[in-house]
Amino acid sequence: MAELKPINWAYPFPSKDTSNNPLQLLTHMAQAKGGFYPTGDNGLWHGGVHFDEGTAAAFDQSSVRCIADGEVIAYRIDKRYPVSEFTDEIPRVKRAPFSTGFVLVKHRLQPPPLRNADGSIAESPPPPSLTLYSLYMHLLDWAGYQAQPNLPHPAFWGTSRCTVNTQNQGLSVRASPNKNAAKLSELSRGAEIVVGETQGEFSKLVSLISGTAQPALASDDKGQLSGYVFTSLLKRYSEPAEYDRVVVLDNGLPIKAGDLIGHPGLYQNHDSAAQHMVHVELFSCDDVPGFIAQSRAWASRLPDDQKTLLKIYKGASKLIAHREGISAGNPPKLSDAGTQIGVDLIIPQALLDGLPASHKIQVTIPAEGSTPASTSSWWRLDGLFADDNGNPIDGWLAEQELITTRHSPWEWEGFQCIEETGTPVEKLAYAFNARGLLSTDEQHNYRAQINRADGGPIVTLARLYDIVDTDKDGVLTSAEIRTALAKPWHAQVLGQLITKYESEWFWNKDKWDEVDPLLAEEPSKPNSNWEVEKQRIEKLSWWKELAGQHCISGEGSAWHIHAPMLAVSFTRAEKNTCSKCNKSISITYELMKKICPSSITDDFIKSFILHTNRLFKKYEITSCDQVTHLLAQAKHETKRFTAFRESLYYSSYTAQDLYNMAPTAINNGLIRKSLTFATHAEKLKYIEDNLLKNDAGYGQHCFGSKEYPENDYRGRGLLHLTHYSNYQSCALAIGKPIAAEPTLVESDVAVIVETGLWFWKSNRLKAYAEDASLTEEDAVEKITRTINGGTKGLTERKQFKREITKAFIELYGNCST
């Protein structure tokens, strides 16, 4: 039986929250300016969530990432944003851009197979499966990409076509991705080629479309041309197949969780300013209630290690407030005074595993008589719970048999399926009435619609969970939904709601025309802005162009699921373990406090830990040896984690050196050869302003480029990424515009870390760190030569490696097989 691989999950935007708390990520959605789930700020149905200016403080929204493994089946990109012309009260025409660009990805959700005692897959019917679709709406237009040439492009556009962009000569083809490798051929200037994966500063050559290769190149066993070419000397031609229309792919293109989807586009409503925004939505056209019933039955046969969710029940557990002295040696006790928890909440194991070591205690209870020894767990949980009166409470929680329960995500614990029936006019009338915008006559005329909306399943559910009526008026408003979303227990309830409703991307003229009288400025006088809005809704729609393809339903209805909530439920804690000792590979707060100077702030350490541990597996940091070597090199390169920008001050430069490096015009302007400087700062400024840009061995590579002549590409980041070509290659790999904005590599901790890990992997430094035939000192030297181009600082690098290894062993023990 073929192995069934579960899909991986990711968030569409990385969190800026260094706690990496998945339930807090749900509460950040309350900061969106209007796009909530399952109803928007205007009271209308809303099947997705918005990431906009309101959420920008909580998430890195520079690029949009795919939320799960799947395949791209359709997309649309505006050549230039369409514009709606609204009329305001002056009157004055207001031109409002709105992105219709989107990407649609198809996924297959399926529980893991059952296994025999020996670990082999059991012979049984396959697990139930569900087809899901993730939608990323309002993406950047093509004009936006043209205005930012270094902005990474989605891979499914086909980013492989390039031309050789050399000045006068051709482009060498090397036998391996190394500038010292044997030269196989030379491509003519302007030759059009197709390239494959990027390795360091080089790209794999795939085929030659036009131009010449002298001598001719042979193909490898995959039918690709042999050799590698220098990436920075290529000009990429990457653009969608078509513009301004839906492109449906007959055969979906594979995409992985975390891969680039695109970038936020502009969207402006008639009554607000333009903002960058993305609508993220998850839905299924399958029988979701039927799948959930099958999934629950299947989950009952799965082993206990699949139970990665801990459920806390209202009125059953208590939180014990933290006090000075609580530790593994002095844990809390169930008999301690505490506050009873007044809400239900399901906590992912990923959240518990991600807590700092000081917030996790395991207590071993010795055996007594026939009762075997056991271990109980305590966690210090802040910002998650409330008491019976809704007041937030923090403290220590114990996992208790029968009091707390464990569940598999495949049980869909807490999820509820409802079929919403309200029409737009009913929902809008209800929302207007809740905000006091209806006249007495309108209240009378729309009483039936208001009552139907008031009795609808979403409002009924909200009342059941005490989400509504904060002002005791019996009415659900968008403001009350926003308030509820800021509380983890309410955000989870709304996030677990699975709603069947007609998609907002399915154009249905009749249902929107029903709203005309409600929005009319006066009887028989249409609202001109509403007419423009309806034209916009039609232009945004895409559903009918996919209906009947890729299993998309024809009638436009679907089961809508809260995308971030599903990612929270199904994302397991990544256990990146050492290939030698099988211990968890991660950097901890305790380790960083041991190896960092006391001046390094806790905020930096926490952010550094978050991003290294998040990215280690991606960049194949899979051994204790790699971690200690990496940290030793980084500690030297960054002056003990204090300087993520190379100073360019070299004390070895004498006055004569400076004179010899200076351009002729400066030389001629000097009265004498000996240069003196009152301070080091003056000497540094002179070096930067006049000399290094003309130093063939250094400055010509580090200062400027044809695209960005004013930029400075000195060493920055964890391993001091240097030279424009490296910035450019790294930008394409990590999806950050660091070639255009190199200072990101010194100011953004996520970028500082990822550029260093990219360099480590791209230059195969793992091989030296894990080479058992090398002594530790020899491995340090080989890694140093790759990073530094020589052996500068070798003595200190070796010292740091010894010190960090010692600290590592003190905290975690020896790494051995």
Side-chain angles (χ1 to χ4, degrees), residues 251-527:
N251 298 309
L253 297 175
I255 189 168
K256 293 186 178 297
D259 282 355
L260 180 68
I261 286 287
H263 303 271
L266 272 183
Y267 200 91
Q268 183 175 12
N269 290 312
H270 75 281
D271 57 353
S272 63
Q275 63 170 327
H276 284 96
M277 181 183 79
V278 175
H279 168 108
V280 179
E281 183 176 319
L282 191 67
F283 65 89
S284 177
C285 298
D286 289 352
D287 175 11
V288 173
F291 166 76
I292 288 179
Q294 295 174 14
S295 178
R296 285 171 173 162
W298 189 270
S300 67
R301 303 163 65 190
L302 292 172
D304 285 347
D305 66 4
Q306 297 286 331
K307 295 181 178 180
T308 57
L309 302 173
L310 177 68
K311 184 169 183 180
I312 315 301
Y313 294 86
K314 177 179 180 178
S317 295
K318 64 181 179 181
L319 284 188
I320 296 170
H322 180 69
R323 62 179 182 274
E324 195 67 33
I326 286 183
S327 64
N330 182 31
K333 300 180 182 64
L334 289 173
S335 58
D336 290 346
T339 305
Q340 192 174 67
I341 294 173
V343 295
D344 292 332
L345 193 68
I346 298 173
I347 303 176
Q349 186 63 41
L351 185 159
L352 302 175
D353 289 343
L355 291 171
S358 59
H359 286 49
K360 297 181 282 190
I361 294 176
Q362 285 201 326
V363 180
T364 300
I365 303 170
E368 288 187 10
S370 60
T371 305
S374 62
T375 301
S376 64
S377 297
W378 287 86
W379 296 281
R380 182 180 171 184
L381 300 172
D382 298 336
L384 292 182
F385 292 105
D387 62 17
D388 280 332
N389 296 317
N391 300 310
I393 54 174
D394 300 330
W396 289 89
L397 171 78
E399 182 172 7
Q400 299 172 263
E401 191 173 356
L402 301 180
I403 303 297
T404 58
T405 55
R406 286 278 178 172
H407 301 272
S408 162
W410 303 105
E411 295 176 45
W412 296 80
E413 179 68 23
F415 282 85
Q416 302 180 66
C417 295
I418 64 171
E419 295 194 40
E420 179 68 304
T421 55
T423 64
V425 68
E426 292 169 0
K427 293 177 179 299
L428 204 58
Y430 180 89
F432 282 3
N433 186 54
R435 292 159 61 185
L437 299 178
L438 295 184
S439 66
T440 302
D441 286 345
E442 287 173 327
Q443 287 178 334
H444 176 75
N445 293 338
Y446 287 97
R447 177 53 54 195
Q449 290 90 337
I450 292 169
N451 288 341
R452 281 196 291 272
D454 190 57
I458 291 178
V459 175
T460 300
L461 183 85
R463 288 194 178 115
L464 179 65
Y465 286 91
D466 298 324
I467 291 174
V468 297
D469 209 17
T470 54
D471 55 5
K472 307 301 180 184
D473 66 353
V475 177
L476 172 66
T477 66
S478 57
E480 287 169 327
I481 289 180
R482 182 192 293 271
T483 300
L485 286 172
K487 301 172 181 178
W489 53 94
H490 282 160
Q492 189 169 80
V493 168
L494 290 171
Q496 290 178 321
L497 189 63
I498 301 175
T499 310
K500 188 175 185 180
Y501 196 70
E502 184 176 272
S503 171
E504 59 193 285
W505 315 112
F506 179 86
W507 171 245
N508 182 341
K509 185 177 185 297
D510 291 343
K511 77 176 182 181
W512 294 113
D513 285 346
E514 288 180 359
V515 180
D516 292 356
L518 179 61
L519 294 179
E521 297 176 14
E522 55 185 73
S524 74
K525 184 179 180 182
N527 184 318

